[in-house]
């Protein structure tokens, strides 16, 4: 949306920020091809002017001279800039013969976090994966939220149906292992999360935070408790036990559709609140009080995030949080844990029951690790590249991922990547990972592309929808087109094949389902007529328009005049708000039984692994946790001066008592050692940390040869993933264990 101002080439654009899950509206002022200013869009229906420092740095990202703008091919140690046709020809000529020779499973797909933020791009990953024809698919999901996918799949039959804390209506937010004041929220799209926390307190509610560090979020919570890293499951099971023992089970409306309550009661029968107190460091009285408060609050929600999922029992911890939500009558209830209800779905037509959810449909070659959500664990990628034999990974397609900084035991992975025969990367930068590539395909930067948030409208705490047009004309192909061409090359259609084939195929897939569904507003309509209508739009807009128009507010291609369409969103550049979340059960339950499965067998079985772990101890005396900072974004955005300037934020946090015991001085240099590696870093003493715990941010360590990130390279900071052990995973989900890692710390002379 461009509105002319007094000065003819000055204009204002409204765009959703794609950098994190909060989806803030930005107001972007441009003059010619320059960005003059970026600030929060006060009229955005969802974010209402909220913005963090990263939002305005889209200007610097756009201008960054190190950001790649044209494809590059590596020739020896040199990079050669080439045309798009040459780049795809190179992939065709070098990768396909290799795969013909060694087989499709010798190709790995590695997919990173920014894919989820890339609107329509997410749709285009499917044809690429399909064309690749490999079972070796890896992504950032197994160093993040895979336990939540798994428990959601098992409990509600839909791996993408995350119970979201209904922040704006809850009376009691019980939060574990999340730091939304820094992260701006995750698996809970809620711009201005901090403001929403303040609002809970202002309306007389309470916010309790459980975290081994007194974080930025702890500062604004009503109450904060330290917890020993990795021990939240003890706390949650003790709360469940208290709820049963004190007859506090009251499932409300949802009780009718819940299976397995007695099994859960049996599972916690042996739980001791006193033992949980010892394991967690939270005393028994407090545990009892918290259980009583959660049960008594008019509405309450248990919300756990990274600190609950990237731990050794991530699946059980994810499950236990939702068990409490169900037992206290807070699932699918206003102010509790609710499912998203985005504009693109049709709630009224949902009926309970489905195919259910299963994992382990295939296994990995070396580690025999089972598939979850069609993926193998990120922590198991190195062994598949290193180990010779049939099906050894020899080539890699890496899309928007920096595994050499983001995956466990990154040094091992770095060495493994160096031995690959061929690698393609789709990325904005020449960084620690893409320096191993043979061909790099750079997508457009956010200001040059349109945006529609399929992923995060589907995790939002309100029903909102928003389409952003590109601010500047595209200087190259959209990421959707890059992925379409990649799919065609991988599928054997050649580098010259028309990407329109893929655009058509994607629309066809959705359209055919709609035309056949009697619930669809376009049921039985003439396909050619709808296709002709969609073809008036640019390729990436077609799927958005189709989904919106067949969604529950949609215009149904004429069936519901005045209804939602992409055209209507273009006329509403601040987005449209359709109110708070709505109840989705039982219709949204896609388990085989059509019920909530409170005690799925996989979960029950994993309790044995947890029981067995109680006696195990490890030699190293400190537990390492991670942290995020509002001016950073995982492993990138570190080449943006406005974000990294000022005092370094990458030091190891350590409690003064732990430092004194090791003769470590504030600001000194220390060596941190784990089972798999060691790093040197500056130390910063703080009593905001539980004694016995140390804390480092991830994504740093940019002083590497062969990259092209001048600013990032000047930043101090160690690479946390050199210390993260890839041998330990949350077994059912395959998730990496990034928090609660045993380490020792010693001063460096
Ligand atoms: N120890 C430890 N490790 C962690 C974490 C932790 O807390 N501790 N967090 C984990 C989590 S939750 C996640 S999600 C992962 C994230 O890890 P990754 O999946 O690696 O994601 P990012 O570091 O955000 O970015 C990856 C790459 O995407 C590129 N990129 C940015 N925008 C685009 C785009 O629009 N298109 C394309 N093609 N590329 C783009 C960037 O240049 C960068 O190289 O890290 C995980 N690793
Ligand atoms: N500024 C910024 N924003 C981001 C990102 C970023 O890198 N920078 N990354 C984005 C991504 S990919 C994601 S997934 C989200 C993550 O969003 P969050 O989950 O909110 O992220 P974290 O800041 O990692 O918060 C995890 C918290 O868990 C605590 N913790 C560690 N171990 C334990 C434990 O055993 N128990 C408990 N109870 N707590 C523990 C840590 O101290 C930390 O405060 O953030 C997103 N937003
Ligand atoms: S919180 Fe910051 S990074 Fe996240 S969407 Fe808003 S402006 Fe962008
Ligand atoms: Mo993430």
């Amino acid at each position: 949306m461009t509105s002319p101002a007094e000065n003819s080439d000055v204009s204002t654009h409204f765009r959703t920020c794609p950098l994190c899950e909060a989806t803030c509206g930005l107001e972007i002022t441009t003059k010619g091809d320059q960005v003059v200013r970026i600030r929060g869009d006060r009229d955005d229906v969802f974010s209402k002017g909220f913005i963090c420092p990263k939002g305005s740095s889209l200007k610097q990202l756009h201008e960054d001279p190190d950001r790649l703008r044209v494809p590059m091919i590596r020739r020896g140690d040199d990079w050669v800039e080439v045309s798009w046709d040459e780049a795809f020809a190179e992939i065709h000529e070098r990768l396909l013969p290799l795969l013909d020779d060694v087989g499709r499973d010798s190709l790995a797909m590695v997919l990173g976090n920014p894919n989820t933020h890339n609107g329509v791009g997410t749709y285009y990953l499917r044809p690429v994966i399909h064309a690749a024809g490999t079972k070796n698919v890896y992504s950032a999901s197994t160093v993040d939220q895979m336990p939540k996918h798994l428990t959601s799949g098992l409990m509600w039959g839909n791996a993408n149906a995350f119970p979201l804390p209904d922040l704006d209506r809850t009376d009691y937010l019980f939060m574990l292992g999340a730091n939304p004041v820094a992260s701006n929220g995750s698996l809970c799209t809620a711009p201005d999360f901090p403001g929403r926390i303040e609002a809970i307190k202002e309306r007389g509610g309470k916010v309790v935070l459980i975290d081994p560090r007194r974080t930025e979020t702890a500062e604004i919570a009503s109450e904060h408790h330290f917890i020993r890293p990795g021990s939240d499951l003890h706390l949650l099971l003790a709360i469940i036990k208290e709820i049963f023992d004190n007859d506090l089970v009251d499932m409300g409306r949802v009780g009718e559709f819940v299976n397995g309550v007695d099994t859960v009661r049996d599972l916690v029968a042996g739980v001791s609140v006193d033992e949980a107190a010892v394991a967690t460091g939270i005393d028994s009285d407090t545990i009892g009080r918290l259980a009583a408060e959660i049960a008594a609050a008019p509405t309450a929600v248990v919300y756990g995030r990274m600190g609950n999922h990237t731990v050794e029992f991530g699946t059980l911890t994810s499950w236990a949080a939702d068990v409490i939500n169900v037992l206290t009558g807070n699932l699918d209830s206003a102010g509790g844990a609710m499912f998203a209800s985005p504009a693109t779905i049709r709630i009224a037509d949902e009926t309970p029951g489905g195919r259910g959810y299963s994992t382990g449909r295939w296994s990995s070659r070396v580690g025999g690790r089972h598939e979850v959500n069609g993926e193998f664990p990120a922590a198991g990628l190195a062994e598949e590249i290193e180990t010779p034999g049939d099906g050894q990974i020899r080539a890699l397609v890496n899309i928007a991922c920096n595994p050499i900084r983001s995956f466990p035991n990154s040094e091992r992975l770095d060495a493994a990547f160096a031995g690959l025969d061929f690698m393609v990367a789709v990325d904005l930068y020449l960084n620690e990972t893409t320096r191993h590539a043979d061909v790099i395909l750079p997508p457009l930067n956010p200001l040059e592309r349109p945006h529609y948030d399929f992923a995060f409208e589907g995790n939002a705490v309100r029903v909102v929808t928003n389409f952003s047009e590109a601010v500047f004309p595209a200087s190259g192909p959209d990421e959707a087109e890059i992925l379409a061409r990649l799919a065609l090359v991988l599928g054997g259609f050649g580098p010259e094949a028309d990407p329109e084939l893929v655009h058509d195929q994607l629309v066809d897939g959705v359209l055919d389902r709609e035309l056949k569904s009697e619930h669809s507003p376009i049921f039985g309509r003439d396909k050619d007529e709808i296709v002709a209508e969609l073809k008036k739009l640019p390729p990436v807009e077609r799927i958005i328009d189709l989904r919106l128009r067949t969604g529950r507010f949609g215009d149904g291609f004429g069936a519901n005049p005045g209804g939602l369409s992409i055209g209507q969103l273009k006329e509403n550049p601040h987005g449209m708000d359709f109110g708070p979340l709505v109840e989705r059960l039982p219709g949204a339950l896609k388990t085989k039984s059509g019920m909530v499965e409170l005690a799925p067998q996989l979960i029950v079985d994993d309790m044995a692994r947890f029981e067995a772990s109680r006696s195990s101890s490890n030699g190293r005396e400190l537990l390492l946790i991670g942290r995020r900072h509002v001016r950073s974004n995982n492993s990138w955005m570190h080449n943006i001066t406005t974000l990294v300037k000022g005092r370094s934020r990458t030091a190891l946090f350590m409690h003064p008592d732990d430092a004194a015991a090791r003769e470590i001085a504030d600001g000194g240099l220390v060596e941190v050692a784990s089972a798999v590696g060691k790093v040197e870093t500056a130390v910063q003493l703080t009593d905001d940390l539980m004694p016995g715990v140390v804390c480092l941010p991830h994504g740093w360590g940019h002083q590497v040869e062969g990259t092209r990130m001048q600013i990032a390279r000047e930043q101090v900071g160690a690479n946390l993933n050199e210390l993260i052990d890839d041998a330990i995973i949350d077994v059912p989900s395959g998730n990496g264990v990034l928090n609660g890692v045993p380490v020792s710390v010693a001063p460096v002379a």
Side-chain angles (χ1 to χ4, degrees), residues 389-423:
D390 257 6
Q392 177 185 11
I393 293 174
R394 305 265 300 271
L396 206 134
V397 172
N398 188 87
I399 306 175
C401 200
N402 190 3
I404 306 301
R405 283 297 167 273
S406 306
F407 286 6
N409 202 348
S410 51
E411 285 295 277
R412 177 180 176 190
L413 209 49
D414 194 31
F417 270 50
L420 289 167
D421 291 334
F422 192 75
M423 174 173 160

Side-chain angles (χ1 to χ4, degrees), residues 54 144 177 179 182-183 210-212 230 232 306-307 628-629 632 634:
K54 288 189 297 301
D144 189 348
N179 185 11
S183 72
I210 308 292
D211 197 304
D232 296 59
M306 279 298 280
R628 286 176 157 75
H629 191 280
S632 172
N634 292 320

Side-chain angles (χ1 to χ4, degrees), residues 678-701:
K678 31 179 179 293
V679 302
E680 281 188 7
T681 169
V683 68
Q684 185 176 330
L685 304 189
T686 168
D687 54 15
D688 283 340
L689 209 58
M690 188 178 192
V693 178
V694 287
C695 174
L696 261 184
H698 76 281
W700 295 90

Side-chain angles (χ1 to χ4, degrees), residues 537-558:
L537 295 168
V540 296
E541 294 186 14
R542 293 173 199 159
I543 203 113
I544 304 169
D545 197 39
L546 176 57
R547 293 286 313 276
L548 288 170
R549 296 174 81 171
T550 54
R552 70 188 194 283
F553 311 116
D555 82 343
F557 290 87

Side-chain angles (χ1 to χ4, degrees), residues 69-73 75 80-91 438-442 475-477 482 485 495-496:
R69 286 154 169 85
V70 284
M72 302 206 298
I73 297 180
R75 300 272 179 236
V80 185
E81 296 190 348
V82 297
S83 70
W84 286 93
D85 286 343
E86 286 169 300
F88 286 109
E90 179 88 2
I91 300 168
D438 295 282
V439 180
I440 307 180
L441 308 171
S475 62
I482 297 173
R485 290 190 72 178
E496 270 116 50

Side-chain angles (χ1 to χ4, degrees), residues 403-736:
I404 306 301
R405 283 297 167 273
S406 306
F407 286 6
N409 202 348
S410 51
E411 285 295 277
R412 177 180 176 190
L413 209 49
D414 194 31
F417 270 50
L420 289 167
D421 291 334
F422 192 75
M423 174 173 160
V424 180
V426 184
D427 205 291
L428 297 164
Y429 285 97
L430 179 53
N431 63 15
E432 299 81 8
T433 295
T434 60
R435 77 191 212 281
H436 291 295
D438 295 282
V439 180
I440 307 180
L441 308 171
L444 297 168
N445 88 83
L447 297 186
E448 293 180 322
R449 63 192 191 211
H451 188 73
Y452 182 81
D453 242 313
F454 276 111
F456 300 111
E457 289 188 4
N459 283 346
V461 298
R462 286 185 70 83
V463 185
V464 285
T465 181
N466 201 332
F467 174 77
S468 316
E469 305 211 55
V471 173
F472 295 118
S475 62
D478 190 273
E479 187 145 2
E481 186 173 327
I482 297 173
L483 297 183
R485 290 190 72 178
L486 201 50
L488 290 164
V489 170
L490 288 170
F493 295 90
E496 270 116 50
D498 187 351
E500 194 72 8
L501 286 168
V502 179
H503 302 318
D504 286 350
Q505 189 197 33
L506 277 176
V507 165
D508 261 16
V510 179
L511 188 53
D512 287 343
R513 270 202 311 278
E514 289 294 331
L515 294 171
K516 275 186 228 141
S517 160
E518 55 190 66
H519 296 300
S520 174
I522 57 168
F523 174 59
R525 289 267 294 271
D526 177 38
K527 183 171 175 177
D528 293 343
E529 174 208 348
I530 310 260
V531 169
E533 179 93 359
L534 290 170
K535 288 252 176 168
K536 292 177 193 159
L537 295 168
V540 296
E541 294 186 14
R542 293 173 199 159
I543 203 113
I544 304 169
D545 197 39
L546 176 57
R547 293 286 313 276
L548 288 170
R549 296 174 81 171
T550 54
R552 70 188 194 283
F553 311 116
D555 82 343
F557 290 87
N560 173 26
L564 197 56
S565 65
I566 202 168
Q568 206 182 54
L569 287 188
K570 287 177 183 173
E571 286 162 22
N572 290 276
H574 309 288
M576 294 176 76
D577 181 319
F578 293 91
L581 300 180
V582 298
E583 290 173 0
R584 300 250 339 249
L585 298 194
L589 293 170
K590 297 298 156 206
T591 49
K592 280 187 184 146
S593 58
M595 305 275 280
V596 169
E597 293 297 348
L598 208 60
Q601 195 57 45
L602 208 73
I603 303 274
V604 174
D605 292 346
D606 201 40
M607 282 293 279
R609 187 174 64 100
F610 174 59
E611 303 281 341
S613 78
R614 286 184 187 185
S615 52
S616 77
S617 67
N618 23 53
R620 297 178 193 271
E621 67 288 6
L622 294 165
L623 292 176
L624 176 65
I625 61 169
R627 71 172 184 267
R628 286 176 157 75
H629 191 280
V630 74
R631 303 185 79 89
S632 172
N633 198 14
N634 292 320
S635 74
W636 72 297
M637 295 298 281
H638 298 163
N639 208 51
I640 307 293
T641 310
T642 47
L643 291 178
V644 294
K645 69 178 182 214
R647 183 176 177 215
S648 166
R649 289 171 283 263
T650 55
L652 180 83
F653 288 171
M654 189 176 212
H655 192 277
D657 294 350
D658 292 324
R662 292 165 181 77
E663 297 183 345
I664 290 169
D666 192 20
L669 197 62
V670 292
E671 184 186 87
V672 189
S674 74
V676 297
K678 31 179 179 293
V679 302
E680 281 188 7
T681 169
V683 68
Q684 185 176 330
L685 304 189
T686 168
D687 54 15
D688 283 340
L689 209 58
M690 188 178 192
V693 178
V694 287
C695 174
L696 261 184
H698 76 281
W700 295 90
H702 296 303
Q703 308 78 1
V704 170
E705 289 306 311
T707 62
R708 195 177 293 176
M709 301 188 299
Q710 204 188 324
I711 308 294
R713 181 195 281 266
E714 290 163 9
Q715 308 307 312
V716 298
N719 167 21
L720 171 58
N721 279 306
E722 282 186 54
L723 299 171
I724 306 293
D725 191 349
D726 53 345
I728 300 170
I729 57 170
D730 170 51
V731 177
S733 69
N735 219 43

